[in-house]
Amino acid sequence: MAMHLPSRILLLLTACVFTCTYISNAATDNAAPSGSFSFKDNFDLTGAEDHFSTSPDGQVWYLSLDKKAGCGFQTRDRYRFGWFSMKLKLVGGDSAGVVTAYYMCSDLGAAPDRDELDFEFLGNRTGEPYTIQTNVYKGGVGNREMRHQLWFDPTEDFHTYSILWNNHQIAFFVDRVPIRVYKNNGKPNNFFPSDKPMYMLSSIWNADDWATRGGLEKTNWTHAPFVSSYKDFNADGCKWEDPYPKCVSTTGENWWDQYEAWALTDSQQEDSKWVWRNLVIYDYCKDYERFPKLPEECNL
Ligand SMILES: *[C@@H]1O[C@H](CO)[C@@H](O)[C@H](O)[C@H]1NC(C)=O
Ligand SMILES: *[C@@H]1O[C@H](CO)[C@@H](O)[C@H](O)[C@H]1NC(C)=O
């Protein structure tokens, strides 16, 4: 019977099923109270100062992009393993060409040997869906892109985007649904960033040379400034302190490093299957044109 429903309705129904599962699944639900990481004490601004603002109470942060400049921020601390999370509301309306990057990186420049875990939100023309791209870098090498569509409009409201990172898996979550899992296969030639502590960063920039339909759609500057909004940053993880290997838990806990967090839970696996069936639009592991010989980890 469900087979006759329009796919959009089906999507909504399925969304409800797993949202409900999620409410009862508090395994990873250890979010610190909102606002416990203030911008002033925990972040530095990158880019134009007048392109950053906050709500009067300081809880919501805004990055804006216009023809002259973009903007970004980065944590002062580095972390190695943990649960990293933030709520984002993306640029609405005609945002084609605009990219909001939200990521972890071992280096604040673009060091040639950096490790990186990326969420990138690629804007689109009014009414056309956003694409979310994830990527993993190790030692400066990336090329591990996946692209997903979302099951909601990310410009209408705040949604939570999180990374769970330990020595066994890197999982990218959207509203606690795992959209991508990257596993450590434990082999010597493994492509799994685990050694270098990372900062958390975000930025908004013009990428109309590649982002929308491979660069065909240009940013329409009459709609500037383009603004992305942020709140509720949370790092529940191991804060890195030199000298190596000092590591201090930000919350006194380390559930993110424990056995239960080494793989997806059963209900997360169900959600993951749903994501694979409905939302994946690009997977580098299936791109034989680009990789005549697929990267090693694709055969896990
Ligand atoms: C924008 O919308 C078009 C049409 O729906 C879609 O094909 C494309 O994947 C979307 N995303 C980007 C980044 O262009
Ligand atoms: C840019 O947006 C303006 C205002 O909506 C519109 O009039 C114009 O045609 C757009 N330009 C392009 C190149 O699409």
Side-chain angles (χ1 to χ4, degrees):
M1 190 220 146
M3 267 157 49
H4 301 293
L5 286 172
S7 63
R8 193 169 188 97
I9 306 267
L10 250 187
L11 203 73
L12 283 173
L13 281 176
T14 328
C16 172
V17 169
F18 75 69
T19 309
C20 306
T21 330
Y22 257 82
I23 289 166
S24 61
N25 173 17
T28 49
D29 203 0
N30 284 10
S34 118
S36 57
F37 284 82
S38 74
F39 193 89
K40 175 168 71 64
D41 296 335
N42 297 280
F43 290 84
D44 287 315
L45 208 55
T46 57
E49 226 165 89
D50 59 354
H51 285 55
F52 173 77
S53 62
T54 71
S55 59
D57 65 2
Q59 298 286 311
V60 186
W61 313 338
Y62 307 101
L63 292 183
S64 84
L65 167 76
D66 59 24
K67 208 164 184 174
K68 279 187 283 171
C71 196
F73 58 73
Q74 62 201 25
T75 54
R76 283 191 200 141
D77 288 315
R78 286 176 299 166
Y79 307 90
R80 182 171 171 265
F81 301 156
W83 168 261
F84 306 93
S85 188
M86 202 161 188
K87 289 186 181 143
L88 275 74
K89 184 172 147 187
L90 300 162
V91 180
D94 183 354
S95 60
V98 176
V99 170
T100 299
Y102 161 70
Y103 60 111
M104 299 189 70
C105 188
S106 60
D107 190 82
L108 294 176
D113 63 343
R114 72 192 187 279
D115 290 352
E116 208 175 291
L117 310 174
D118 296 339
F119 274 109
E120 288 181 316
F121 302 93
L122 316 186
N124 216 333
R125 294 290 172 218
T126 309
E128 301 294 340
Y130 256 70
T131 297
I132 178 167
Q133 172 167 299
T134 52
N135 201 356
V136 175
Y137 278 74
K138 180 185 162 86
V141 178
N143 298 326
R144 265 72 184 174
E145 293 91 351
M146 279 192 78
R147 286 187 176 192
H148 292 80
Q149 282 196 341
L150 295 166
W151 58 96
F152 52 83
D153 177 352
T155 71
E156 257 178 17
D157 209 345
F158 285 94
H159 289 268
T160 308
Y161 303 90
S162 321
I163 294 174
L164 170 66
W165 178 34
N166 55 44
N167 206 20
H168 302 265
Q169 65 171 347
I170 293 163
F172 295 84
F173 291 84
V174 176
D175 287 342
R176 300 189 172 271
V177 174
I179 61 159
R180 176 175 186 180
V181 178
Y182 207 82
K183 286 190 175 300
N184 188 346
N185 70 9
K187 293 184 185 153
N189 62 350
N190 197 9
F191 192 92
F192 188 90
S194 60
D195 301 338
K196 296 179 189 146
M198 299 199 215
Y199 301 90
M200 170 64 86
L201 311 88
S202 186
S203 59
I204 182 168
W205 41 288
N206 177 35
D208 68 1
D209 53 337
W210 63 270
T212 311
R213 299 205 298 127
L216 291 178
E217 305 265 7
K218 296 297 170 196
T219 302
N220 187 337
W221 294 106
T222 57
H223 298 124
F226 302 102
V227 179
S228 48
S229 318
Y230 303 79
K231 63 179 184 181
D232 296 352
F233 172 76
N234 182 39
D236 186 355
C238 154
K239 188 169 97 181
W240 190 261
E241 288 188 4
D242 287 324
Y244 177 87
K246 260 255 186 80
C247 167
V248 183
S249 168
T250 54
T251 57
E253 296 188 47
N254 65 344
W255 62 269
W256 32 267
D257 221 4
Q258 301 293 307
Y259 182 73
E260 289 73 29
W262 292 1
L264 297 186
T265 64
D266 289 347
S267 68
Q268 286 172 341
Q269 281 179 37
E270 287 307 308
D271 291 347
S272 173
K273 283 182 205 154
W274 177 83
V275 168
W276 274 99
R277 281 195 305 269
N278 294 291
L279 303 175
V280 175
I281 49 180
Y282 176 80
D283 176 12
Y284 75 102
C285 277
K286 300 206 164 66
D287 193 342
Y288 296 96
E289 252 173 69
R290 187 174 167 205
F291 302 106
K293 183 180 183 309
L294 288 177
E296 179 92 1
E297 74 276 6
C298 291
N299 304 315
L300 273 185

